[in-house]
Amino acid sequence: MKFAIALFSAAHAPSSRRALLFAQAALAGGHEIVRLFFYQDGVHNASGSVVTPQDELDLPRQWRTFVTEHQLDGVVCIAAALRRGVLNAEEAGRYQREAVAVAAPWELSGLGQLHDAVQDADRLICFGGA
């Protein structure tokens, strides 16, 4: 089965951990993940600026490791990221901001990437959101 996974909740939310566990289990079960799409507050899961307390799970780091190790397509919604100050080097330069929070393996891109993923996947699985 091919999955597209959309994450809408911030790194400290339980649904972010559930999304990661689901993605790990999907790959372990022989399934494919066509794209991970981070939207709304979910963009914080791709931020290198999140500092997690030592007694909590560092989900942004775990997501980065997971995406890198499995060479997955990790897309961060550019509009949601800009709104929340989660910028890559290109967008930081464009908007004359000093903070860069997103780097490889993440890609900032538009909502069309989610649409394309849904077309390629058998199932869209969403975590978080209102």
Side-chain angles (χ1 to χ4, degrees):
M1 174 121 359
K2 294 196 244 179
F3 292 105
I5 299 173
L7 180 55
F8 296 82
S9 56
H12 62 273
S15 54
S16 293
R17 176 75 175 144
R18 282 193 292 273
L20 179 59
L21 291 172
F22 176 86
Q24 291 168 334
L27 292 184
H31 302 286
E32 179 183 346
I33 297 173
V34 297
R35 180 164 296 135
L36 295 163
F37 192 83
F38 295 81
Y39 189 52
Q40 295 175 345
D41 284 339
V43 302
H44 293 293
N45 287 280
S47 175
S49 297
V50 174
V51 178
T52 304
Q54 291 179 352
D55 63 338
E56 295 179 17
L57 295 172
D58 189 347
L59 283 174
R61 181 173 295 194
Q62 289 180 1
W63 272 113
R64 177 181 303 281
T65 299
F66 178 71
V67 169
T68 301
E69 285 179 356
H70 296 284
Q71 300 177 351
L72 297 172
D73 186 17
V75 177
V76 179
C77 178
I78 191 166
L82 291 175
R83 180 181 191 130
R84 290 161 177 83
V86 179
L87 309 173
N88 63 7
E90 180 182 346
E91 296 304 318
R94 176 180 299 165
Y95 294 101
Q96 301 174 357
R97 301 295 193 265
E98 295 178 16
V100 175
V102 177
W106 306 110
E107 173 191 351
L108 288 183
S109 193
L111 196 54
Q113 292 285 358
L114 179 59
H115 181 268
D116 288 346
V118 170
Q119 301 305 311
D120 294 338
D122 298 311
R123 298 282 186 276
L124 169 64
I125 308 296
C126 299
F127 292 88

